[in-house]
Amino acid sequence: MKNSDFLNKLKKEKSLIIVDSSEEISKAYLIKSDKCIQVAKLAFEAGIYENAISEAYYSIYNTLTSLFYKCGIKCENHSASAILLKELFGFLDLYNIFSEFKKDRIDNQYYLPIKNSEPVTKDKCGERIKTAQMFNMELRGIIGRISLKEINEIRKKFKVKRLD
């Protein structure tokens, strides 16, 4: 119920709306996703692990945004994006990955590490980048296979239901 109230609030604010489905915008977000994962790899190679994790997160966020535009959904809120992934699309495993990445990105961008400690290890960062690549591949497969019928069902569910 809490999620439903939050999503409906965003709908009223026009931060979460139905738009025309756009293959062009969807593809543009996939390009952004590719650039973010490239930057994540460069940051990793330079030993800048906090930034690498943030870029890996934005890579998966942009891939998710691509799916939304393919379906004609505009979502301007990261938390709502996670909720939609789970409740509208039913992708629980991808939701769990996205949620972990979102938390890591927030921790790395907004909080300082404990004195004299590295907040992210090289191994953890490398695993995050690999996980982001797998997330992106799986979601890209879904984007490529999603049918017009499935898109229409998702849009109908979005419009009609309170997303509980």
Side-chain angles (χ1 to χ4, degrees):
M1 186 61 142
K2 185 177 175 183
N3 285 344
S4 177
D5 292 342
F6 173 64
L7 294 176
N8 287 310
K9 176 182 175 271
L10 292 176
K11 285 181 182 182
K12 286 179 186 171
E13 295 172 355
K14 306 284 187 218
S15 296
L16 178 60
I17 59 173
I18 291 287
V19 294
D20 291 337
S21 178
S22 175
E23 191 72 33
E24 185 177 332
I25 294 173
S26 178
K27 286 180 181 177
Y29 274 102
L30 291 177
I31 292 168
K32 283 184 72 131
S33 172
D34 289 341
K35 289 177 181 178
C36 288
I37 206 68
Q38 289 173 0
V39 172
K41 289 176 183 178
L42 290 170
F44 176 79
E45 291 301 320
I48 309 169
Y49 305 131
E50 292 171 296
N51 294 74
I53 286 193
S54 291
E55 288 298 324
Y57 166 77
Y58 281 109
S59 176
I60 68 172
Y61 176 75
N62 285 321
T63 303
L64 181 55
T65 302
S66 172
L67 172 64
F68 291 162
Y69 273 99
K70 175 92 178 205
C71 296
I73 297 170
K74 180 180 177 184
C75 180
E76 298 176 342
N77 183 287
H78 292 245
S79 295
S81 295
I83 294 166
L84 292 177
L85 186 58
K86 180 174 123 184
E87 296 186 10
L88 186 62
F89 290 87
F91 301 142
L92 184 58
D93 290 342
L94 294 176
Y95 163 81
N96 289 331
I97 293 167
F98 185 86
S99 296
E100 284 179 31
F101 269 73
K102 184 173 163 282
K103 181 188 178 311
D104 282 350
R105 192 261 314 168
I106 290 168
D107 288 348
N108 285 306
Q109 277 189 301
Y110 298 112
Y111 301 107
L112 297 174
I114 297 170
K115 190 176 180 179
N116 296 326
S117 72
E118 184 63 37
V120 180
T121 66
K122 181 178 182 178
D123 289 341
K124 180 180 179 179
C125 184
E127 283 302 313
R128 282 292 192 234
I129 291 171
K130 287 177 189 172
T131 301
Q133 290 174 303
M134 290 187 315
F135 179 102
N136 288 339
M137 282 190 339
E138 187 169 342
L139 206 52
R140 283 172 183 259
I142 292 165
I143 291 166
R145 290 188 309 270
I146 195 165
S147 69
L148 185 56
K149 180 182 178 190
E150 290 169 314
I151 290 171
N152 288 333
E153 288 170 6
I154 288 165
R155 290 170 64 88
K156 183 178 178 182
K157 183 177 178 184
F158 180 92
K159 287 179 187 177
V160 176
K161 286 190 174 188
R162 287 181 55 94
L163 300 168
D164 294 319

